[in-house]
Amino acid sequence: MTPDLLSHSWKLLRQNPFLLWLGLGMSLSSLFGTGWRLWLGQLITLDFAQLTNIQTIESLLFSTEIASAIAPMQQLLWRGLLLAFGQFVLVWLVALLAEAGIITAVSTTESRQPINLWQSLRQGRAWLGRFLAIDLLVFFPWFLIALLMLLILLVLALVLASFAVSEPSAGTVFATTGMGLFCIIGLAALLMPVGLLSFWYRLLTFRQAILHGVAGRTAVRQTWQRIRQNFGDLFVLIVILWGGQTLLLGAVSLVTSPLLTWLTPLTNSDTIALQATSWLALLLVTLLVWFVRGSLTAFVAIAWTLAYQNLSKVEN
């Protein structure tokens, strides 16, 4: 089934170029990688030497010289937090809408009905609320683990801060720190497999919801039944589609990441010509990476939709 599936997916992508735009929407996060590099580049250029005179908490809070030194850092931190929050919300919503558009477009195309970009987006928007509900159901275990990690980090920070104003023994500090790090590392090791399983499960649940026209909770339950009945086929698809996508994107990153990292500090150059050239090169490489990721993401999303349709036909 896999060779035919891949050739059919490529054929659909060539015949319906608008699917590439939806793939670009699903891979919007690649654009923000450059934003984070620029943010880190600004952080590196800050003068940390002015903070070497901090000896007490009081001097950090009330010294006017220190306040003027940390003001740029505070502004940069707030910009980073806003960038992270805006990126998360924007990427999540756009990716959900784009994936819903691809699934509806592929299912409509397979039924020999013509469809374009705006029609696919309009039909996909009708599923957006259901996709949000599915994400809430499927990613809830991952969210709990991430929340627990955050709570442990906060508690550990508060405990270490209390140690800073007291005189605990070195053994107490090391034991507390070690216990906190042990919990964080254990949860981090659990977070990755849970995150991958949640990602694959939601990917299938989205297709179950649209292709069979069921509600989010029903789609989650029916997807589990379908996974149990077709575990071998789905495992092969995960290895080929997700594994192949990961390898190809990793190869692209090996080439582009060093280039982007090298170009980023040049955007702060004192030479106007070099600065402008660096910004242009950075923009071109970023757009190229986005195009490659979008093309591959669209192809894989089409393949998953066709594969899930085939599984449904076999069972029926």
Side-chain angles (χ1 to χ4, degrees), residues 196-264:
L196 286 176
L197 291 175
S198 299
F199 171 78
W200 294 326
Y201 198 94
R202 75 191 281 271
L203 181 147
L204 298 174
T205 306
F206 288 164
R207 284 149 181 83
Q208 178 71 26
I210 291 182
L211 297 178
H212 296 272
V214 295
R217 189 182 298 273
T218 303
V220 170
R221 185 175 62 253
Q222 292 179 352
T223 301
W224 171 243
Q225 299 298 325
R226 186 142 295 167
I227 291 174
R228 293 176 56 188
Q229 296 169 3
N230 303 276
F231 181 78
D233 291 335
L234 290 172
F235 181 78
V236 172
L237 287 170
I238 288 174
V239 171
I240 294 176
L241 296 179
W242 181 81
Q245 182 183 21
T246 302
L247 288 175
L248 290 175
L249 291 178
V252 172
S253 296
L254 283 177
V255 177
T256 57
S257 291
L259 181 59
L260 289 170
T261 303
W262 176 71
L263 286 171
T264 299

Side-chain angles (χ1 to χ4, degrees), residues 105-119:
V106 171
S107 61
T108 303
T109 303
E110 286 297 285
S111 62
R112 302 295 187 271
Q113 297 179 14
I115 190 172
N116 56 35
L117 175 63
W118 303 114
Q119 289 173 336

Side-chain angles (χ1 to χ4, degrees), residues 148-149 152-153 156 179-190:
L148 188 57
M149 285 182 61
I152 292 176
L153 280 172
L156 182 61
M179 184 178 298
L181 292 177
F182 177 78
C183 294
I184 292 171
I185 293 173
L187 288 172
L190 183 61

Side-chain angles (χ1 to χ4, degrees), residues 15-89:
Q15 292 177 344
N16 303 277
F18 72 88
L19 294 174
L20 175 60
W21 290 103
L22 297 175
L24 291 173
M26 291 179 63
S27 20
L28 192 64
S29 59
S30 62
L31 293 178
F32 290 94
T34 300
W36 282 111
R37 284 187 175 89
L38 293 171
W39 181 81
L40 289 173
Q42 293 179 9
L43 182 64
I44 292 173
T45 59
L46 291 175
D47 183 13
F48 292 93
Q50 300 182 62
L51 302 182
T52 55
N53 295 326
I54 297 178
Q55 297 178 355
T56 64
I57 298 296
E58 289 78 7
S59 65
L60 175 62
L61 293 177
F62 302 112
S63 172
T64 56
E65 295 137 341
I66 296 300
S68 62
I70 67 172
M73 300 179 193
Q74 291 174 335
Q75 295 174 4
L76 191 58
L77 177 61
W78 278 113
R79 286 202 297 268
L81 290 174
L82 291 175
L83 175 63
F85 179 76
Q87 173 184 344
F88 173 78
V89 175

